[in-house]
Every structure is written in C-alpha cells, then in structure tokens.
C-alpha cells in the first residue's frame, strides 16, 4: 500500500501536534543513556510550531539548528522526544552514532520527521 502525499503530510502534522500537547512552554529532544536515567543535553523545540509545514511527508524542526548547552558530561547513546507536559512521545531510541557530551559546551540540533509513502 502506498500513502498519498496528503496522508503522509497529515501524519507528520499529527506528530507535531502530539509534541505540542500540554501546558508547558515547549516540547523537547533529549539525549541520554540507554534507559534515559541520565540526560546529558536537552533541546527546547519551538513552543508554537515544533515542526515546519510538511512537504511530501517530511518536516524539519522549526528554527533549526536549535542550540543547547550540555548539562552533564557523558556519552549519549539514545534520544527521546517529549511533549509540553514532559510525557515521552517517541523513544528512547538509539542514536545513529554515540555523542560525547561535555557539560557547558554548546550543541546544535537539526532533524527531520518523515512519513514514508510505503
């Protein structure tokens, strides 16, 4: 089965709405260890529109690259996305490559959300 572009864009929009749910200021992306008991760095997503408008089932994080400062030194192996209330909407999932995080150092985040056609 192949999804239409409209269906793919609707799925990406729905995920953006999920991240934007809650009473807090913004959703977040966190990098941490495998069970996320140690969070090394947290990026704050845009509080109004965390994702750009999708095209062909692909959207990027609004305002990327998004800067954040390492909070704790350690090796990040996993990530998760949280909504405005701090609930985990995605993850923890393994990073494509581990990241050595140093407390106080600045890190930029860029990313996409993709709904494939099939």
């Amino acid at each position: 089965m192949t999804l239409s572009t409209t269906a793919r864009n609707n799925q990406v929009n729905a995920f953006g709405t999920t991240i934007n749910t809650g009473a807090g200021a913004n959703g977040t992306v966190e990098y941490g260890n495998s069970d996320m008991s140690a969070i090394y760095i947290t990026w704050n997503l845009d509080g109004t529109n965390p994702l750009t408008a999708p095209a062909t089932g692909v959207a990027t994080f609004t305002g990327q690259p998004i800067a954040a400062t390492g909070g704790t030194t350690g090796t990040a192996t996993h990530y998760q996305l949280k909504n405005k209330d701090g609930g985990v909407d995605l993850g923890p999932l393994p990073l494509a490559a581990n990241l050595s995080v140093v407390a106080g150092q600045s890190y930029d985040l860029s990313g996409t959300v993709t709904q494939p056609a099939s």
Side-chain angles (χ1 to χ4, degrees), residues 44-101:
N44 293 316
L45 301 176
D46 184 88
T48 304
N49 296 303
L51 300 175
T52 61
T56 62
V58 179
T60 60
F61 291 124
T62 300
Q64 67 179 23
I66 303 165
T69 302
T72 303
T73 297
T75 300
T77 60
H78 287 70
Y79 72 97
Q80 63 188 10
L81 275 79
K82 289 184 170 182
N83 62 36
K84 287 182 172 184
D85 283 337
V88 176
D89 288 330
L90 178 68
L93 296 170
L95 293 168
N98 293 350
L99 176 66
S100 294
V101 177

Side-chain angles (χ1 to χ4, degrees), residues 3-85:
L3 296 174
S4 69
T5 297
T6 299
R8 294 166 62 201
N9 289 343
N10 287 343
Q11 288 295 317
V12 172
N13 278 328
F15 185 68
T17 298
T18 300
I19 295 169
N20 210 33
T21 299
N26 47 268
T28 59
V29 175
E30 296 178 337
Y31 277 22
N33 63 349
S34 62
D35 66 0
M36 301 305 286
S37 61
I39 305 299
Y40 304 118
I41 187 166
T42 301
W43 289 272
N44 293 316
L45 301 176
D46 184 88
T48 304
N49 296 303
L51 300 175
T52 61
T56 62
V58 179
T60 60
F61 291 124
T62 300
Q64 67 179 23
I66 303 165
T69 302
T72 303
T73 297
T75 300
T77 60
H78 287 70
Y79 72 97
Q80 63 188 10
L81 275 79
K82 289 184 170 182
N83 62 36
K84 287 182 172 184
D85 283 337

